[in-house]
Amino acid sequence: SIKKQHTYATIITDLINRQVVETFEKRDKETVTRHLEQLPHKEAIEAVVIDMSGSFRSAVQEALPGRAIVADKFHVIARVIKALDEVRKRVQRAKPKGERGSIFRLRYRLRKGREKLKAEEAAELEAFLDQEAELRVAYQLKEAFRDLYGLPSREEAEHQLKAWCDQALASGLPEMAQVVETLRDWWTEILNYFTWRYTNGFTEGKNNRIKVLKRRGIVSPSFRKFERQV
C-alpha cells in the first residue's frame, strides 16, 4: 500500500534469480494483465506465484495462459490463522468483561506455530485450551493445516487437504467453514505448490523493505519516489 487510503502498487519478481522485474501502480486485473503481457521473455515463464488475489489470478490466466499458478503458502496459511483469530474474538466477546483480557493476551501464542513456543508458553496455552473447547478445535485445525505443507507429494497433500476440509466442516465452527469455501475456490493453485515448491518469500521481503522505509520516513508515500528504493 502506498498511502493510508490503500492505494496499492504491484511488484513482479524473478524468484529464481531473486530480483525485481518490475514495479507499477495499481493491482487491478486490467493493469496487471497489461504489464504481464509486456514482460520480456515471457515464453520462458512456467509458473507464477501469487497471493490469493482474484485479480492476480485472472490477469495471469489471460496474459500467461497455460502457466501454473501457485497460491503462496504463507498467504494460504494466513487465511486459516485469521479464521482461528476470528474464533478467538467471538469467544472473547461472549465472556464477561473481566475475563476477556486473559483471552486477548494469548492471541499471539494461538497464532504462533507450536514448535516456536517456549515450554512454559506451551503449558499455559494447553491449560487455557482445556477450558475453551471451540478454541482448542480451531487451534488444532490451524496446526494440522500447517503440517500439511510438510507432506512430500501432491497426492498426499490433496488427500490430507480433503480430510482437513471434512474435519473443519465437522467442527461446526462457522469461521472454519468459510475457510473451506476459500480453499475449494483455490484448490488447484494450493496444490500446485506441491509440484513447484515455490513461495513468494523474496517478494514479501521486498514488501517488508518498503514498509520499513515508509515507517522510518526515508521515502515519501509517492510511488515514483519509493520505486527506486525497492
Side-chain angles (χ1 to χ4, degrees):
S1 176
I2 302 171
K3 298 179 181 179
K4 290 183 179 179
Q5 292 81 8
H6 298 292
T7 301
Y8 287 97
T10 298
I11 302 175
I12 298 178
T13 65
D14 178 346
L15 297 176
I16 301 298
N17 296 305
R18 298 180 66 80
Q19 61 186 19
V20 174
V21 175
E22 188 175 359
T23 60
F24 52 88
E25 291 184 87
K26 300 183 180 180
R27 57 176 287 155
D28 59 278
K29 177 193 171 184
E30 291 73 21
T31 302
V32 177
T33 300
R34 184 170 65 254
H35 282 270
L36 290 176
E37 288 175 339
Q38 295 170 357
L39 286 176
H41 312 297
K42 68 177 186 178
E43 68 280 354
I45 297 172
E46 296 181 313
V48 182
V49 187
I50 63 173
D51 63 27
M52 298 174 80
S53 161
S55 296
F56 284 169
R57 179 167 62 180
S58 297
V60 173
Q61 289 170 337
E62 184 172 324
L64 303 170
R67 273 59 162 204
I69 300 175
V70 180
D72 178 58
K73 78 171 188 177
F74 299 108
H75 284 87
V76 181
I77 293 172
R79 294 294 182 101
V80 179
I81 293 175
K82 182 179 179 182
L84 165 62
D85 206 41
E86 291 301 318
V87 175
R88 190 265 307 166
K89 290 177 182 178
R90 176 168 56 78
V91 171
Q92 182 178 308
R93 287 193 298 267
K95 297 290 183 182
K97 285 188 176 181
E99 298 178 18
R100 294 175 186 173
S102 60
I103 299 178
F104 178 75
R105 285 190 291 272
L106 287 172
R107 66 194 185 282
Y108 293 121
R109 294 185 193 180
L110 286 166
R111 297 173 191 166
K112 192 182 293 187
R114 59 176 176 264
E115 75 282 356
K116 296 180 181 178
L117 293 173
K118 297 178 182 178
E120 61 271 20
E121 292 176 331
E124 184 178 357
L125 182 59
E126 279 296 314
F128 167 75
L129 292 176
D130 283 341
Q131 308 300 317
E132 299 294 342
E134 285 190 308
L135 269 174
R136 172 173 284 281
V137 171
Y139 179 77
Q140 290 172 338
L141 284 168
K142 184 264 290 186
E143 287 300 311
F145 193 86
R146 291 178 65 244
D147 290 342
L148 188 149
Y149 274 95
L151 294 173
S153 71
R154 185 184 182 116
E155 292 74 20
E156 290 178 82
E158 183 163 23
H159 176 76
Q160 285 301 111
L161 185 56
K162 288 177 180 176
W164 188 92
C165 288
D166 290 342
Q167 292 168 6
L169 293 174
S171 74
L173 299 172
E175 298 85 355
M176 290 297 172
Q178 188 171 357
V179 168
V180 170
E181 288 185 23
T182 301
L183 297 180
R184 287 175 173 169
D185 184 44
W186 286 85
W187 197 263
T188 299
E189 293 84 359
I190 291 169
L191 291 174
N192 278 344
Y193 167 79
F194 297 91
T195 299
W196 295 92
R197 303 287 174 171
Y198 292 145
T199 76
N200 257 344
F202 174 75
T203 311
E204 291 304 318
K206 290 297 182 181
N207 287 337
N208 290 334
R209 172 177 167 78
I210 292 169
K211 292 175 184 178
V212 170
L213 291 174
K214 285 167 58 181
R215 281 198 302 268
R216 293 179 178 176
I218 297 174
V219 293
S220 63
S222 82
F223 175 72
R224 291 302 166 197
K225 289 186 177 179
F226 80 68
E227 182 183 23
R228 295 188 294 271
Q229 302 289 331
V230 178

Short mmCIF file of all heavy atoms in Angstrom, two decimals, residues 16-45:
data_model
loop_
_atom_site.label_atom_id
_atom_site.label_comp_id
_atom_site.label_asym_id
_atom_site.label_seq_id
_atom_site.Cartn_x
_atom_site.Cartn_y
_atom_site.Cartn_z
N ILE A 16 13.68 -17.11 -9.18
CA ILE A 16 14.87 -17.93 -9.37
C ILE A 16 16.14 -17.10 -9.20
O ILE A 16 17.06 -17.46 -8.46
CB ILE A 16 14.86 -18.59 -10.77
CG1 ILE A 16 13.62 -19.47 -10.93
CG2 ILE A 16 16.13 -19.41 -10.97
CD1 ILE A 16 13.54 -20.62 -9.97
N ASN A 17 16.17 -15.95 -9.88
CA ASN A 17 17.35 -15.08 -9.81
C ASN A 17 17.25 -14.04 -8.70
O ASN A 17 18.17 -13.23 -8.54
CB ASN A 17 17.56 -14.39 -11.16
CG ASN A 17 17.87 -15.38 -12.25
OD1 ASN A 17 18.80 -16.18 -12.13
ND2 ASN A 17 17.08 -15.37 -13.33
N ARG A 18 16.13 -14.05 -7.98
CA ARG A 18 15.92 -13.18 -6.82
C ARG A 18 16.18 -11.72 -7.17
O ARG A 18 17.07 -11.06 -6.61
CB ARG A 18 16.81 -13.63 -5.65
CG ARG A 18 16.49 -15.04 -5.17
CD ARG A 18 17.37 -15.48 -4.02
NE ARG A 18 17.12 -14.71 -2.82
CZ ARG A 18 16.10 -14.90 -1.98
NH1 ARG A 18 15.21 -15.85 -2.23
NH2 ARG A 18 15.95 -14.16 -0.90
N GLN A 19 15.37 -11.22 -8.09
CA GLN A 19 15.48 -9.82 -8.46
C GLN A 19 14.12 -9.26 -8.83
O GLN A 19 13.22 -10.01 -9.24
CB GLN A 19 16.45 -9.64 -9.62
CG GLN A 19 16.05 -10.36 -10.90
CD GLN A 19 17.11 -10.27 -11.97
OE1 GLN A 19 18.28 -9.99 -11.68
NE2 GLN A 19 16.73 -10.51 -13.22
N VAL A 20 13.96 -7.96 -8.66
CA VAL A 20 12.72 -7.30 -9.03
C VAL A 20 12.71 -7.10 -10.54
O VAL A 20 13.67 -6.57 -11.12
CB VAL A 20 12.58 -5.95 -8.31
CG1 VAL A 20 11.35 -5.19 -8.81
CG2 VAL A 20 12.48 -6.16 -6.80
N VAL A 21 11.64 -7.53 -11.18
CA VAL A 21 11.50 -7.37 -12.63
C VAL A 21 10.84 -6.05 -12.96
O VAL A 21 11.26 -5.32 -13.85
CB VAL A 21 10.68 -8.54 -13.22
CG1 VAL A 21 10.42 -8.33 -14.71
CG2 VAL A 21 11.39 -9.86 -12.99
N GLU A 22 9.78 -5.73 -12.20
CA GLU A 22 9.04 -4.51 -12.49
C GLU A 22 8.18 -4.13 -11.29
O GLU A 22 7.74 -4.99 -10.52
CB GLU A 22 8.15 -4.70 -13.73
CG GLU A 22 7.50 -3.44 -14.22
CD GLU A 22 6.72 -3.63 -15.52
OE1 GLU A 22 6.71 -4.76 -16.03
OE2 GLU A 22 6.13 -2.66 -15.99
N THR A 23 7.97 -2.83 -11.13
CA THR A 23 7.01 -2.33 -10.16
C THR A 23 6.09 -1.35 -10.88
O THR A 23 6.52 -0.65 -11.80
CB THR A 23 7.69 -1.60 -8.99
OG1 THR A 23 8.44 -0.48 -9.50
CG2 THR A 23 8.62 -2.54 -8.23
N PHE A 24 4.83 -1.33 -10.48
CA PHE A 24 3.90 -0.40 -11.12
C PHE A 24 2.73 -0.14 -10.19
O PHE A 24 2.44 -0.91 -9.28
CB PHE A 24 3.40 -0.94 -12.47
CG PHE A 24 2.84 -2.34 -12.40
CD1 PHE A 24 1.49 -2.58 -12.12
CD2 PHE A 24 3.66 -3.44 -12.65
CE1 PHE A 24 0.99 -3.87 -12.08
CE2 PHE A 24 3.16 -4.74 -12.61
CZ PHE A 24 1.82 -4.95 -12.32
N GLU A 25 2.08 0.99 -10.42
CA GLU A 25 0.94 1.37 -9.60
C GLU A 25 -0.29 0.53 -9.94
O GLU A 25 -0.44 0.05 -11.06
CB GLU A 25 0.62 2.85 -9.80
CG GLU A 25 1.68 3.78 -9.24
CD GLU A 25 1.29 5.23 -9.38
OE1 GLU A 25 0.60 5.75 -8.47
OE2 GLU A 25 1.65 5.83 -10.39
N LYS A 26 -1.12 0.33 -8.95
CA LYS A 26 -2.40 -0.40 -9.03
C LYS A 26 -2.18 -1.91 -9.00
O LYS A 26 -1.08 -2.40 -9.24
CB LYS A 26 -3.21 0.01 -10.27
CG LYS A 26 -3.56 1.49 -10.31
CD LYS A 26 -4.43 1.79 -11.51
CE LYS A 26 -4.79 3.26 -11.57
NZ LYS A 26 -5.64 3.57 -12.75
N ARG A 27 -3.28 -2.61 -8.73
CA ARG A 27 -3.24 -4.08 -8.72
C ARG A 27 -4.54 -4.66 -9.26
O ARG A 27 -4.92 -5.78 -8.95
CB ARG A 27 -2.93 -4.62 -7.32
CG ARG A 27 -3.87 -4.19 -6.22
CD ARG A 27 -3.51 -4.86 -4.91
NE ARG A 27 -3.86 -6.26 -4.90
CZ ARG A 27 -3.26 -7.17 -4.14
NH1 ARG A 27 -2.26 -6.83 -3.36
NH2 ARG A 27 -3.65 -8.43 -4.17
N ASP A 28 -5.25 -3.87 -10.06
CA ASP A 28 -6.47 -4.38 -10.68
C ASP A 28 -6.11 -5.28 -11.86
O ASP A 28 -4.99 -5.27 -12.38
CB ASP A 28 -7.35 -3.22 -11.16
CG ASP A 28 -6.62 -2.34 -12.18
OD1 ASP A 28 -5.83 -1.47 -11.75
OD2 ASP A 28 -6.80 -2.56 -13.38
N LYS A 29 -7.05 -6.09 -12.30
CA LYS A 29 -6.80 -7.09 -13.34
C LYS A 29 -6.27 -6.46 -14.62
O LYS A 29 -5.29 -6.96 -15.22
CB LYS A 29 -8.08 -7.86 -13.64
CG LYS A 29 -7.91 -8.87 -14.77
CD LYS A 29 -9.24 -9.40 -15.28
CE LYS A 29 -9.05 -10.22 -16.55
NZ LYS A 29 -10.33 -10.67 -17.12
N GLU A 30 -6.88 -5.38 -15.07
CA GLU A 30 -6.50 -4.79 -16.35
C GLU A 30 -5.06 -4.30 -16.32
O GLU A 30 -4.29 -4.53 -17.27
CB GLU A 30 -7.45 -3.64 -16.69
CG GLU A 30 -8.87 -4.07 -17.01
CD GLU A 30 -9.65 -4.51 -15.79
OE1 GLU A 30 -9.28 -4.13 -14.66
OE2 GLU A 30 -10.65 -5.26 -15.96
N THR A 31 -4.68 -3.62 -15.24
CA THR A 31 -3.32 -3.09 -15.14
C THR A 31 -2.30 -4.22 -15.07
O THR A 31 -1.28 -4.20 -15.77
CB THR A 31 -3.18 -2.19 -13.91
OG1 THR A 31 -4.14 -1.13 -13.98
CG2 THR A 31 -1.78 -1.60 -13.82
N VAL A 32 -2.58 -5.22 -14.23
CA VAL A 32 -1.64 -6.34 -14.08
C VAL A 32 -1.53 -7.12 -15.39
O VAL A 32 -0.42 -7.49 -15.80
CB VAL A 32 -2.07 -7.26 -12.92
CG1 VAL A 32 -1.13 -8.46 -12.82
CG2 VAL A 32 -2.08 -6.49 -11.59
N THR A 33 -2.65 -7.34 -16.06
CA THR A 33 -2.63 -8.06 -17.34
C THR A 33 -1.74 -7.34 -18.35
O THR A 33 -0.92 -7.97 -19.03
CB THR A 33 -4.05 -8.19 -17.91
OG1 THR A 33 -4.87 -8.91 -16.99
CG2 THR A 33 -4.04 -8.92 -19.25
N ARG A 34 -1.89 -6.04 -18.44
CA ARG A 34 -1.11 -5.26 -19.41
C ARG A 34 0.39 -5.39 -19.15
O ARG A 34 1.18 -5.60 -20.07
CB ARG A 34 -1.53 -3.79 -19.35
CG ARG A 34 -0.82 -2.92 -20.39
CD ARG A 34 -1.43 -1.54 -20.47
NE ARG A 34 -1.24 -0.78 -19.24
CZ ARG A 34 -2.20 -0.53 -18.35
NH1 ARG A 34 -3.43 -0.98 -18.55
NH2 ARG A 34 -1.97 0.17 -17.27
N HIS A 35 0.79 -5.33 -17.90
CA HIS A 35 2.21 -5.43 -17.57
C HIS A 35 2.74 -6.85 -17.78
O HIS A 35 3.88 -7.03 -18.22
CB HIS A 35 2.44 -4.97 -16.13
CG HIS A 35 2.44 -3.48 -15.98
ND1 HIS A 35 3.57 -2.72 -16.10
CD2 HIS A 35 1.42 -2.61 -15.73
CE1 HIS A 35 3.27 -1.44 -15.92
NE2 HIS A 35 1.97 -1.35 -15.69
N LEU A 36 1.94 -7.85 -17.48
CA LEU A 36 2.38 -9.22 -17.71
C LEU A 36 2.56 -9.50 -19.19
O LEU A 36 3.50 -10.20 -19.60
CB LEU A 36 1.36 -10.21 -17.11
CG LEU A 36 1.28 -10.29 -15.59
CD1 LEU A 36 0.16 -11.25 -15.17
CD2 LEU A 36 2.61 -10.75 -14.98
N GLU A 37 1.67 -8.96 -20.00
CA GLU A 37 1.76 -9.19 -21.45
C GLU A 37 3.02 -8.55 -22.04
O GLU A 37 3.51 -8.99 -23.08
CB GLU A 37 0.52 -8.62 -22.13
CG GLU A 37 -0.74 -9.44 -21.88
CD GLU A 37 -1.98 -8.80 -22.45
OE1 GLU A 37 -1.97 -7.57 -22.69
OE2 GLU A 37 -2.97 -9.53 -22.65
N GLN A 38 3.54 -7.52 -21.36
CA GLN A 38 4.71 -6.80 -21.87
C GLN A 38 6.03 -7.33 -21.30
O GLN A 38 7.10 -6.81 -21.64
CB GLN A 38 4.58 -5.31 -21.55
CG GLN A 38 3.41 -4.64 -22.25
CD GLN A 38 3.14 -3.23 -21.74
OE1 GLN A 38 3.79 -2.74 -20.82
NE2 GLN A 38 2.17 -2.57 -22.35
N LEU A 39 5.98 -8.36 -20.48
CA LEU A 39 7.21 -8.88 -19.90
C LEU A 39 8.13 -9.45 -20.98
O LEU A 39 7.68 -10.15 -21.88
CB LEU A 39 6.89 -9.99 -18.88
CG LEU A 39 6.30 -9.57 -17.54
CD1 LEU A 39 5.97 -10.81 -16.72
CD2 LEU A 39 7.26 -8.67 -16.77
N PRO A 40 9.44 -9.18 -20.86
CA PRO A 40 10.37 -9.78 -21.82
C PRO A 40 10.53 -11.27 -21.55
O PRO A 40 10.48 -11.71 -20.40
CB PRO A 40 11.68 -9.02 -21.55
CG PRO A 40 11.57 -8.58 -20.13
CD PRO A 40 10.10 -8.29 -19.90
N HIS A 41 10.70 -12.04 -22.61
CA HIS A 41 10.94 -13.48 -22.50
C HIS A 41 9.84 -14.20 -21.72
O HIS A 41 10.10 -15.15 -20.99
CB HIS A 41 12.30 -13.76 -21.84
CG HIS A 41 13.42 -12.96 -22.41
ND1 HIS A 41 13.82 -13.09 -23.72
CD2 HIS A 41 14.22 -12.00 -21.86
CE1 HIS A 41 14.83 -12.25 -23.96
NE2 HIS A 41 15.09 -11.59 -22.86
N LYS A 42 8.61 -13.74 -21.86
CA LYS A 42 7.54 -14.33 -21.08
C LYS A 42 7.27 -15.79 -21.47
O LYS A 42 6.68 -16.54 -20.70
CB LYS A 42 6.26 -13.51 -21.18
CG LYS A 42 5.60 -13.51 -22.55
CD LYS A 42 4.30 -12.71 -22.49
CE LYS A 42 3.54 -12.82 -23.81
NZ LYS A 42 2.26 -12.08 -23.75
N GLU A 43 7.75 -16.18 -22.65
CA GLU A 43 7.56 -17.58 -23.07
C GLU A 43 8.34 -18.54 -22.19
O GLU A 43 8.05 -19.74 -22.14
CB GLU A 43 7.99 -17.75 -24.54
CG GLU A 43 9.48 -17.60 -24.81
CD GLU A 43 9.93 -16.14 -24.89
OE1 GLU A 43 9.06 -15.24 -24.84
OE2 GLU A 43 11.15 -15.92 -24.99
N ALA A 44 9.35 -18.02 -21.45
CA ALA A 44 10.15 -18.89 -20.58
C ALA A 44 9.49 -19.10 -19.21
O ALA A 44 9.92 -19.95 -18.44
CB ALA A 44 11.54 -18.28 -20.38
N ILE A 45 8.43 -18.36 -18.93
CA ILE A 45 7.76 -18.47 -17.63
C ILE A 45 6.94 -19.75 -17.59
O ILE A 45 6.13 -20.02 -18.48
CB ILE A 45 6.85 -17.25 -17.38
CG1 ILE A 45 7.69 -15.97 -17.32
CG2 ILE A 45 6.06 -17.43 -16.08
CD1 ILE A 45 6.86 -14.70 -17.27
#
